[in-house]
Amino acid sequence: MMLSQGCTFIGIFLTFVFGWTRAQSPSKRYYMDDLCGHSIDMGTSGLESVRLHLTNFQYYHSSMDCVLRVRVPVDKRLQVRFLANSIVNSVNCTQDFLSILDGNEPTGQPLRDLDPRVCWSSILKSSYVTSGDQAHFRFVSDAQDTSEGFRLLLTAFREDPKQTCYDSEFQCRSNRRCISASLTCDNYEDCTDGSDECGLSTGAIIGIAIGTVVGVIIIICIIACCCCHRRRKRNADSVKHLSYENHEVEVVPVPEDIYSDVHIVKQAPPSPPIQPIIQPLQVHPGHYHGNDAQAVYSYDPYHVKMEAAEVTSQNPQIWITTPSDESRTSYYIDY
């Protein structure tokens, strides 16, 4: 119970933290299939960065021909970065493709160093820039298979011949472009070298978060195990059964003594070993021969063993062996 509650709390906490971080990002998300034939004016909307996705669905629609215009303030230019490219591949990208055209006309030239048509097999650079403050995006798909589409990061930037930026701007380290200072540490690399992000990368932040969650779960498991062990020990102590040498300690109520709940019962000492009982073997008088006739004893619980029997004169004889291995002759009369 404690473990499940702890995991639930951690999950809610991390969801809140990451959701709050994303909500604070100044980069707004748009879906191109919702804005076909329209435009995004970043200057009028006060946007310095835009995340442009092809669709909000798992796969984009078939038979599309969508055009979208994006505009930045007059003194700035537009930087385009591909975050993902899953456009269905075809030879020379003739079926499904994306075209990014420079200028204020949808029939302009593609951006510098960018293929006229982009699909899955296209080789892409880290970023592309416009020559002015506008660009047109056109996406076309055929009636066959579709895929996830693309995700773009569009950033307004400024270049100063003196390579100086305003106090409200941040200067990228590698290309010396000036972007809005509000775009720093927003988990999106608006500078191609990532210099606008904080010291820890997204991967490092995720690793730290996972490590923290695992550590907290381990601590909760240890605490739960300790509590279970203590509870079991407390239950075991409720029934006392101790052993001390030959004594048995039992818990029995003693009505006469309300302050004691232990009564010691001493076991009786063990009985001494049983000594063997010696009984004489009765020999009939007058029927023994010479001085060899002596009293023969049988040792109980041992059994007297009769080894042999022979006949002497008129009376039969037997040999009896006692436990001390002494043999004596005894006569008996068969009445």
Side-chain angles (χ1 to χ4, degrees):
M1 180 65 71
M2 294 179 58
L3 180 61
S4 60
Q5 292 178 351
C7 294
T8 302
F9 173 77
I10 293 172
I12 295 175
F13 174 76
L14 292 177
T15 302
F16 171 77
V17 170
F18 284 101
W20 181 84
T21 302
R22 291 295 185 182
Q24 299 304 311
S25 175
S27 180
K28 189 174 181 180
R29 181 187 303 174
Y30 289 94
Y31 298 101
M32 185 173 178
D33 56 357
D34 292 336
L35 299 173
C36 293
H38 295 78
S39 62
I40 300 175
D41 195 332
M42 297 174 59
T44 304
S45 304
L47 299 175
E48 297 291 341
S49 180
V50 167
R51 288 171 288 151
L52 181 61
H53 295 197
L54 176 57
T55 182
N56 191 28
F57 300 99
Q58 183 176 4
Y59 302 109
Y60 57 82
H61 302 289
S62 59
S63 303
M64 289 183 60
D65 190 353
C66 180
V67 178
L68 173 68
R69 187 188 71 159
V70 178
R71 182 178 180 180
V72 296
V74 178
D75 59 340
K76 293 184 178 182
R77 296 161 62 189
L78 184 65
Q79 174 184 273
V80 180
R81 296 195 63 199
F82 279 84
L83 302 179
N85 176 20
S86 297
I87 303 173
V88 174
N89 193 35
S90 60
V91 178
N92 297 325
C93 302
T94 56
Q95 297 177 354
D96 296 6
F97 62 87
L98 170 68
S99 295
I100 305 178
L101 307 175
D102 193 6
N104 55 2
E105 295 294 335
T107 58
Q109 297 296 318
L111 297 183
R112 182 180 179 181
D113 299 329
L114 180 64
D115 294 338
R117 295 182 176 185
V118 176
C119 61
W120 182 82
S121 61
S122 300
I123 299 176
L124 302 174
K125 294 175 56 178
S126 59
S127 67
Y128 303 90
V129 297
T130 61
S131 59
D133 60 349
Q134 297 185 50
H136 284 77
F137 298 80
R138 182 189 180 195
F139 181 77
V140 176
S141 63
D142 61 9
Q144 299 180 4
D145 297 336
T146 61
S147 185
E148 289 86 355
F150 61 82
R151 291 186 289 115
L152 305 177
L153 179 63
L154 311 180
T155 305
F157 72 95
R158 187 177 62 86
E159 286 183 335
D160 193 326
K162 298 180 180 180
Q163 295 186 351
T164 58
C165 296
Y166 301 138
D167 293 339
S168 60
E169 295 177 332
F170 176 85
Q171 189 171 48
C172 298
R173 186 179 295 114
S174 61
N175 51 29
R176 315 303 295 177
R177 294 172 183 170
C178 298
I179 63 174
S180 174
S182 62
L183 301 179
T184 58
C185 300
D186 64 346
N187 297 322
Y188 296 101
E189 296 180 355
D190 295 279
C191 294
T192 55
D193 57 3
S195 59
D196 60 311
E197 294 307 306
C198 300
L200 294 177
S201 62
T202 303
I205 295 174
I206 294 176
I208 294 173
I210 294 175
T212 303
V213 172
V214 172
V216 172
I217 292 177
I218 292 175
I219 293 175
I220 293 176
C221 291
I222 293 175
I223 295 175
C225 291
C226 292
C227 293
C228 292
H229 177 72
R230 184 174 300 178
R231 186 179 299 109
R232 291 178 181 177
K233 184 178 180 181
R234 186 165 54 249
N235 294 336
D237 290 343
S238 61
V239 179
K240 299 180 180 178
H241 184 79
L242 304 176
S243 176
Y244 179 73
E245 294 183 354
N246 294 328
H247 296 79
E248 288 288 338
V249 179
E250 300 177 351
V251 178
V252 296
V254 183
E256 293 81 3
D257 187 0
I258 62 175
Y259 298 99
S260 175
D261 61 347
V262 178
H263 181 63
I264 300 178
V265 179
K266 183 176 181 180
Q267 289 183 342
S271 302
I274 300 174
Q275 300 295 332
I277 301 175
I278 303 176
Q279 294 179 353
L281 180 65
Q282 299 297 328
V283 181
H284 196 276
H287 294 281
Y288 47 85
H289 180 71
N291 295 326
D292 292 335
Q294 297 181 8
V296 180
Y297 294 89
S298 64
Y299 291 82
D300 189 18
Y302 302 103
H303 299 282
V304 176
K305 179 180 180 182
M306 184 174 68
E307 292 184 345
E310 62 183 15
V311 178
T312 303
S313 67
Q314 297 179 356
N315 299 322
Q317 296 178 347
I318 60 172
W319 291 89
I320 299 176
T321 301
T322 64
S324 59
D325 293 336
E326 295 180 0
S327 298
R328 292 293 185 267
T329 304
S330 176
Y331 299 89
Y332 69 94
I333 299 174
D334 188 7
Y335 295 98

